[in-house]
């Protein structure tokens, strides 16, 4: 049984835009600046660059090589390498499902805050407005008790846009959308950064961010933080780049593309750091406090600190707010599209459905679950715990398993190195196998151990043990169990493709002998 003709990117630039769009997400804007600030400031750029070159780009090349060689979704690609490895692919599909349902909610909040930036809806109390008036958040998590229309309608809009783009296909949907979104994001954020740099106190903020603490380089946790940031920000470890690379044409520069995507992502993170800390410097100066008293990350930075900055600006606050939240929304959309595409591609390969059927079946289910859970009074509690556990014990652990299986057990790194070298302009040397076969797995393993040690000492964010077991550990372990169970079901089409692979390999070996 031959594979169905696979969609392809129209151009290499289209693939790169999509890959960069997937990598550049919410974490680049609201996570990197604070991580850098907390871990040595300007000195953090050294371990960050080392992590990019020894983990980020090598892992990108590995995922590109797998997707490009097998031209299949993550589960089918892994199965064609070794049947038991299919479980890792379905594990990553489940991880993407969980991430997609809560990621859409944050994009919906950003869309609402574009409008609130114009109206100044948060007034003098951005904290009370966000948690009370807007989210109507309950004090404790539990069963769903109420619905919040102000969150629901933007979330519906987000899913309509995402599913429409996915329904149009790889070339006419994902590629064309990213060719619009990525340049637009770059322009919006550049304007935002220029405006932030003109604010009183911007220099103080930049001094706080970039003043190097060289002693921090002797702290192992700083290096772990650098690898963690690279890992989370490049969309590696949950099947996205395997999926995207599977739509590349036969002639594709894999190593060059990985370097362009990796450095483009890091450049945007650096730009985000400049914009965010220039604004925080203004906030600290206006309040008469030190930058470390206002520096924060995540939801607190985006939906509480930045509204305070916008309200304090003497002029241009509306424009500043629209630029910031529109940038968050676009960065989130490009990432969400790639996350959902992993699930769509896997279902297409597994069930044999066409794109439209797969998008509306899979995307419809994801959207429905998202809309049922997150526009509720308990939504933020679920989002917080899903995000923490699926990131810490889903993405990282799945990537570690992938490296151990492909690098240590099956010893397939030389095969993927050869494949990348055959189609790429920059050849991989022994260093690539060394970092993926040794350095990266060891560091990921240490990250796992360190995270678990902290996790088992005290309950995350003070949540009850019951809630963490069901919504946290339950979801993270459930994704793994899902991957194992689905991989046990018969897959006749995959078996037929595997036989074709074996026949092709035997023919190639025979030709080589002759």
């Amino acid at each position: 049984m031959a594979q169905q003709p696979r969609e392809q990117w129209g151009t290499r630039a289209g693939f790169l835009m999509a890959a960069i769009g997937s990598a550049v997400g919410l974490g680049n804007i609201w996570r990197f600046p604070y991580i850098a600030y907390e871990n040595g400031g300007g000195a953090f750029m050294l371990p960050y660059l080392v992590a990019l070159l020894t983990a980020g780009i090598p892992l990108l090349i590995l995922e590109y090589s797998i997707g490009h060689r097998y031209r299949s979704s993550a589960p089918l690609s892994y199965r064609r390498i070794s049947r038991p490895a299919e479980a890792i692919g379905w594990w990553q599909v489940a991880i993407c499902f969980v991430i997609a349902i809560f990621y859409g909610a944050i994009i919906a909040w950003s869309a609402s805050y574009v409008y609130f930036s114009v109206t100044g809806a948060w007034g003098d109390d951005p904290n009370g407005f966000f948690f009370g008036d807007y989210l109507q958040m309950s004090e404790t998590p539990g069963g769903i008790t109420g619905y919040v229309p102000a969150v629901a309608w933007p979330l519906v809009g987000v899913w309509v846009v995402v599913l429409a783009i996915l329904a149009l296909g790889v070339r006419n949907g994902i590629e064309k959308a990213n060719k619009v979104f990525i340049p637009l994001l770059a322009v919006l954020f550049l304007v935002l950064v220029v405006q932030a740099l003109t604010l009183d106190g911007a220099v103080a903020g930049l001094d706080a961010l970039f003043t190097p603490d060289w002693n921090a380089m002797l702290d192992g946790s700083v290096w772990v933080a650098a690898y963690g940031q690279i890992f989370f920000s490049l969309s590696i470890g949950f099947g996205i780049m395997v999926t995207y690379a599977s739509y590349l044409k036969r002639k594709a520069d894999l190593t060059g593309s990985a370097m362009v995507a990796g450095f483009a992502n890091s450049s945007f993170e650096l730009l985000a750091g400049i914009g965010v800390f220039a604004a925080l410097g203004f906030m600290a100066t206006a309040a008469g406090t030190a930058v470390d008293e206002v520096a924060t990350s995540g939801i607190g930075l985006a939906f509480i600190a930045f509204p305070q900055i916008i309200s304090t600006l003497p002029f241009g606050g509306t424009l500043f707010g629209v630029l910031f939240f529109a940038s968050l929304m676009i960065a989130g959309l490009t990432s969400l599209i790639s996350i959902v595409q992993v699930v769509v591609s896997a279902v297409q390969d597994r069930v044999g459905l066409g794109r439209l059927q797969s998008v509306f079946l899979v995307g419809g289910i994801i959207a429905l679950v998202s809309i049922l859970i997150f526009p509720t009074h308990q939504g933020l509690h679920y989002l917080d715990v899903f995000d923490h556990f699926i990131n810490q014990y889903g993405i990282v652990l799945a990537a570690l398993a992938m490296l151990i299986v492909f690098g240590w057990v099956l010893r397939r790194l030389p095969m993927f190195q050869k494949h990348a070298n055959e189609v790429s302009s920059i050849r991989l040397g022994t260093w690539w196998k060394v970092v993926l076969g040794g350095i990266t797995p060891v560091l990921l393993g240490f990250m796992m151990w360190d995270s678990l040690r902290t996790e088992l000492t005290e309950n995350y964010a003070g949540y009850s043990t019951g809630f963490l077991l069901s919504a946290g550990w339950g979801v993270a372990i459930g994704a793994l169990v899902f991957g194992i169970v689905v991989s046990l079901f018969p897959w006749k089409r995959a078996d037929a493709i595997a036989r074709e692979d074996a026949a092709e390999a035997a023919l190639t070996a025979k030709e080589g002998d002759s």
Side-chain angles (χ1 to χ4, degrees):
M1 183 187 301
Q3 278 186 279
Q4 295 293 322
R6 194 160 185 82
E7 296 177 84
Q8 289 187 344
W9 301 106
T11 62
R12 179 179 179 234
F15 164 70
L16 282 172
M17 287 288 188
I20 293 168
S22 175
V24 174
L26 300 172
N28 297 67
I29 299 173
W30 74 24
R31 189 176 190 271
F32 170 78
Y34 187 75
I35 293 293
Y37 170 70
E38 284 283 281
N39 290 278
F44 180 76
M45 300 306 161
L46 175 60
Y48 177 82
L49 181 62
V50 171
L52 175 65
L53 295 175
T54 62
I57 290 175
L59 270 167
L60 272 181
I61 295 171
L62 174 62
E63 296 203 357
Y64 285 178
S65 299
I66 293 172
H68 184 253
R69 178 183 174 89
Y70 294 106
R71 305 181 68 75
S72 307
S73 62
L76 182 53
S77 293
Y78 299 164
R79 183 184 175 106
R80 292 170 68 179
I81 299 170
S82 174
R83 180 166 181 171
E86 179 192 345
I88 301 174
W90 288 112
W91 183 11
Q92 292 176 334
V93 168
I95 288 168
C96 286
F97 183 97
V98 176
I99 293 173
I101 62 174
F102 68 73
Y103 210 82
I106 304 173
I107 300 169
W109 300 347
S110 303
S112 295
Y113 267 68
V114 171
Y115 173 70
F116 295 154
S117 296
V118 177
T119 63
W122 51 72
D124 297 326
D125 184 12
N127 185 79
F129 174 81
F130 178 67
F131 293 110
D133 298 343
Y134 179 57
L135 295 184
Q136 299 178 27
M137 176 183 167
S138 64
E139 291 187 7
T140 57
I144 304 301
T145 58
Y147 220 64
V148 185
V151 179
W153 287 115
L155 183 55
V156 170
V158 166
W159 283 112
V160 168
V161 170
V162 169
L163 297 187
I165 290 171
L166 288 170
L168 290 172
V170 169
R171 182 177 300 189
N172 293 320
I174 300 172
E175 181 171 343
K176 288 185 176 179
N178 278 284
K179 282 184 174 179
V180 174
F181 285 153
I182 298 306
L184 178 59
L185 175 62
V187 170
L188 289 176
F189 215 79
L190 277 171
V191 175
L192 174 75
V193 169
V194 169
Q195 187 179 3
L197 289 173
T198 64
L199 300 175
D200 292 336
V203 173
L206 296 181
D207 283 344
L209 175 61
F210 289 115
T211 299
D213 177 9
W214 297 111
N215 291 328
M217 298 303 93
L218 302 176
D219 187 344
S221 65
V222 171
W223 290 83
V224 170
Y227 277 85
Q229 177 60 28
I230 284 292
F231 194 80
F232 288 125
S233 72
L234 274 179
S235 292
I236 46 181
F238 44 116
I240 291 176
M241 293 308 168
V242 174
T243 304
Y244 269 13
S246 73
Y247 302 114
L248 281 168
K249 297 177 181 179
R250 289 295 181 185
K251 292 184 178 181
D253 185 354
L254 301 183
T255 57
S257 297
M259 289 187 178
V260 171
F263 282 108
N265 175 73
S266 295
S267 298
F268 187 85
E269 288 196 317
L270 185 60
L271 185 66
I274 293 171
V276 166
F277 267 82
L280 290 175
F282 163 77
M283 182 179 177
T285 301
T289 61
V291 174
D292 62 353
E293 294 186 30
V294 298
T296 184
S297 65
I299 290 172
L301 172 70
F303 300 105
I304 299 171
F306 260 79
Q308 289 177 335
I309 293 168
I310 293 163
S311 297
T312 311
L313 286 172
F315 61 90
T318 296
L319 175 62
F320 191 80
V322 169
L323 289 171
F324 178 75
F325 289 111
S327 297
L328 273 185
M329 181 177 67
I330 294 170
L333 278 172
T334 56
S335 295
L336 181 59
I337 289 167
S338 69
I339 293 167
V340 178
Q341 177 59 28
V342 173
V343 190
V344 170
S345 177
V347 170
Q348 279 186 283
D349 280 351
R350 185 66 174 82
V351 184
L353 294 177
R355 169 160 287 275
L356 282 177
Q357 297 97 318
S358 298
V359 167
F360 290 122
L361 172 64
V362 173
I365 292 173
I366 296 174
L368 180 62
V369 174
S370 178
I371 293 167
L372 287 176
I373 295 177
F374 296 104
T376 66
H377 301 314
Q378 292 76 23
L380 182 56
H381 297 298
Y382 284 100
L383 187 153
D384 184 25
V385 173
F386 284 2
D387 178 39
H388 175 74
F389 279 86
I390 209 67
N391 273 294
Q392 294 294 332
Y393 309 107
I395 296 175
V396 176
L397 198 54
L400 179 60
M402 185 176 73
L403 287 174
I404 290 174
V405 170
F406 297 155
W408 296 1
V409 179
L410 300 176
R411 299 183 181 276
R412 296 299 175 88
L413 292 182
M415 180 183 74
F416 293 120
Q417 178 188 12
K418 179 182 177 183
H419 178 78
N421 285 341
E422 287 174 349
V423 298
S424 302
S425 59
I426 304 172
R427 295 181 62 82
L428 299 175
T430 305
W431 67 272
W432 186 75
K433 291 182 290 186
V434 170
V435 295
L436 288 187
I439 297 173
T440 305
V442 169
L443 281 167
L444 290 179
F446 179 79
M447 287 170 61
M448 279 285 89
W449 174 82
D450 188 60
S451 181
L452 274 171
R453 182 171 55 85
T454 304
E455 204 77 56
L456 298 176
T457 302
E458 57 183 86
N459 283 7
Y460 169 68
Y463 287 115
S464 69
T465 301
F467 182 64
L468 292 180
L469 287 174
S470 59
W473 291 111
V475 169
I477 295 171
L480 172 59
V481 172
F482 173 86
I484 295 171
V485 170
V486 174
S487 70
L488 296 176
F489 286 97
W491 191 351
K492 293 182 180 180
R493 179 168 175 269
D495 292 338
I497 294 172
R499 287 193 293 271
E500 291 178 2
D501 289 342
E504 183 180 345
L507 180 61
T508 302
K510 184 177 180 180
E511 290 174 349
D513 293 338
S514 62

